[in-house]
Amino acid sequence: MKIFALLLILVIVSGTNHQHRLNYTKQRSITSVMAEVEMKIKSHSPLDSVLNVLTQFRDSVNEEQVNHDQIFNVELNECQAEYEFRNAEIQNAKSTLRDSNAQLSTCQYSKQRTIEQQQVNQQQENTFQQHLNTILTTAETESGYFKKRGRQYEDSLHAIDEALTILEGISSGYRSFSELSKVSQRMLQTSFDIKKTPIYTPIFNRFIQLANQGESVDLSSIQQVEHLLKDLRSTIEDAYNQFTESNVQSVALFNLQKEKVNKVLSRLQQQYERQQVKLDKLSACIGVQSAVSNSASSKQQRNQQLLEQAQALCSTFQTEYNYGTQSRRNEIQLVNQLEEMVRQRFEEVHEEKIVLKFAKMKY
């Protein structure tokens, strides 16, 4: 009975130290083994019969350990494979995230630079458009001026021609100086208009002299005035031709300036369109790389979480294995101690029988 009391204490202590021990075999129980051993001893069973109970229990524990070792090795391999897979996925996500972020930064920088270039391009286009508007406005103003001054030159020439006609009529006796006075007023006005009044002055003086002579004017005086009028007409006509040529040159210059500015505006507009196409592509790049970056970040986080979960699960496997192995070691230790006690008890009984036999023989 002392044997079983001691073993019962060991079992209780073992259960206290391993209260979380996992039971892989519900049918096995050290308490049942102890009860069976006690029963066999009480029934005076042979030592081999008692030890056979302990041997079977030990074999059961060892077999269970072998099975657990095999299961644990499979779990270790699965854990290692899971670690490798998740780490590879994490590294792949990190690499993708790094590359996509680099490409995203490049596209964002390029987009900002293109926007700035487009703004500069737009400012230049506005400047040249204003310059073109100035050219067109100036050309329109100059065109009105040339048309008006051309009519004024033509009016001057018409007035001179009319004066020559009146002088010819005065020479023939069918025109009067009053008519010459009227046309001289128009000539004075046109001289103001074309800003040639000084060269008209000698003519106006001769008109006054002719008017003062009245009916007594001689033909040579009229011819002299006619000669001056023709010279004046030639001078005014030359000035008109020069003015016309100047107008042609001015129009040509305006057209040349307009053509140059239009070419610059066309180039700026084409450049703006190319920049807009580039901006559209960069915006698409930013959208794609942002999506790739977000996906890679999510993939990294997801696989990191799965890796941590796998590590926790594999840690549980390791803990279970350690607890189970230690529990079975404790069971083997208890069985070994029980076996040792049983053998010792059988030896003590055997010695007691020998002593008793000698005692009987003595008496």
Side-chain angles (χ1 to χ4, degrees):
M1 295 301 295
K2 293 181 179 178
I3 296 175
F4 299 105
L6 178 58
L7 289 176
L8 183 59
I9 294 173
L10 292 175
V11 170
I12 294 174
V13 172
S14 175
T16 304
N17 292 334
H18 301 285
Q19 57 182 335
H20 299 293
R21 180 175 59 83
L22 298 177
N23 290 323
Y24 291 92
T25 303
K26 296 181 180 180
Q27 297 177 353
R28 190 178 74 243
S29 170
I30 188 65
T31 305
S32 299
V33 172
M34 290 173 60
E36 186 175 356
V37 169
E38 182 180 9
M39 182 185 65
K40 284 184 176 293
I41 291 175
K42 288 181 177 181
S43 63
H44 304 289
S45 298
L47 176 61
D48 291 342
S49 176
V50 176
L51 294 180
N52 185 53
V53 174
L54 299 178
T55 300
Q56 289 178 354
F57 183 85
R58 187 185 297 110
D59 291 342
S60 174
V61 172
N62 288 331
E63 181 182 1
E64 182 179 285
Q65 183 64 44
V66 170
N67 292 334
H68 197 182
D69 289 342
Q70 293 175 349
I71 294 173
F72 183 62
N73 287 332
V74 172
E75 291 174 342
L76 283 180
N77 292 333
E78 291 179 350
C79 287
Q80 186 61 36
E82 181 68 11
Y83 292 163
E84 292 175 358
F85 176 77
R86 293 304 168 189
N87 282 322
E89 289 292 287
I90 291 172
Q91 291 303 318
N92 177 265
K94 287 182 178 180
S95 178
T96 302
L97 182 61
R98 182 188 65 250
D99 295 342
S100 63
N101 283 339
Q103 186 63 33
L104 178 61
S105 297
T106 300
C107 291
Q108 289 173 335
Y109 175 77
S110 298
K111 181 179 180 180
Q112 183 59 37
R113 285 296 302 262
T114 304
I115 290 175
E116 293 173 356
Q117 292 172 356
Q118 195 178 50
Q119 291 174 345
V120 172
N121 186 89
Q122 189 64 49
Q123 292 174 354
Q124 292 177 344
E125 184 177 350
N126 292 337
T127 299
F128 276 96
Q129 186 61 54
Q130 292 175 357
H131 183 49
L132 177 61
N133 293 337
T134 301
I135 291 175
L136 295 176
T137 300
T138 302
E140 184 178 0
T141 302
E142 290 293 326
S143 176
Y145 166 75
F146 280 118
K147 288 180 180 179
K148 181 179 179 181
R149 183 53 58 87
R151 288 193 298 269
Q152 291 171 344
Y153 269 109
E154 290 174 357
D155 291 342
S156 294
L157 292 173
H158 291 159
I160 292 172
D161 290 338
E162 187 175 354
L164 286 170
T165 301
I166 292 173
L167 285 175
E168 183 179 353
I170 290 175
S171 299
S172 301
Y174 63 87
R175 304 296 291 267
S176 65
F177 284 105
S178 61
E179 292 177 293
L180 185 62
S181 176
K182 292 180 179 179
V183 77
S184 66
Q185 291 178 2
R186 292 202 304 274
M187 288 177 62
L188 178 62
Q189 182 61 48
T190 58
S191 70
F192 289 143
D193 294 337
I194 63 177
K195 302 185 184 304
K196 301 290 185 181
T197 303
I199 64 176
Y200 274 77
T201 301
I203 295 297
F204 293 146
N205 291 333
R206 296 303 300 269
F207 281 170
I208 294 172
Q209 292 176 3
L210 289 177
N212 290 333
Q213 291 178 9
E215 298 296 333
S216 61
V217 64
D218 57 1
L219 184 60
S220 61
S221 296
I222 294 176
Q223 290 175 346
Q224 290 176 359
V225 174
E226 288 178 344
H227 181 70
L228 289 175
L229 275 174
K230 290 179 180 180
D231 289 342
L232 176 61
R233 191 183 191 286
S234 178
T235 300
I236 297 302
E237 190 172 19
D238 289 342
Y240 183 31
N241 290 335
Q242 292 177 1
F243 177 77
T244 301
E245 181 63 25
S246 174
N247 181 31
V248 172
Q249 294 177 358
S250 178
V251 170
L253 180 61
F254 279 127
N255 289 334
L256 180 61
Q257 290 178 336
K258 183 175 71 173
E259 182 180 0
K260 289 181 178 180
V261 173
N262 280 328
K263 286 182 178 180
V264 173
L265 283 173
S266 177
R267 178 178 59 81
L268 290 174
Q269 290 170 354
Q270 292 174 358
Q271 184 173 336
Y272 182 89
E273 292 173 356
R274 289 194 298 271
Q275 290 170 341
Q276 188 60 49
V277 171
K278 184 178 180 180
L279 280 177
D280 294 341
K281 292 181 178 179
L282 289 172
S283 296
C285 170
I286 291 173
V288 171
Q289 294 304 323
S290 295
V292 172
S293 179
N294 292 334
S295 177
S297 179
S298 297
K299 179 180 179 181
Q300 179 182 349
Q301 294 176 2
R302 182 175 63 256
N303 280 277
Q304 184 64 43
Q305 292 174 353
L306 291 173
L307 175 61
E308 292 173 357
Q309 292 173 3
Q311 290 172 337
L313 179 61
C314 292
S315 177
T316 300
F317 291 160
Q318 183 69 56
T319 300
E320 290 178 352
Y321 177 77
N322 292 339
Y323 273 124
T325 301
Q326 186 61 44
S327 296
R328 283 184 286 272
R329 287 175 182 173
N330 292 339
E331 287 178 323
I332 295 295
Q333 184 178 5
L334 288 174
V335 169
N336 290 338
Q337 291 176 355
L338 180 58
E339 181 179 352
E340 182 179 354
M341 291 179 180
V342 168
R343 289 180 181 274
Q344 183 178 358
R345 178 58 179 164
F346 267 83
E347 289 179 0
E348 291 176 353
V349 170
H350 180 67
E351 291 176 355
E352 289 176 356
K353 286 182 178 179
I354 293 174
V355 172
L356 181 60
K357 181 178 181 181
F358 283 146
K360 288 181 178 180
M361 290 176 63
K362 184 176 179 181
Y363 290 103

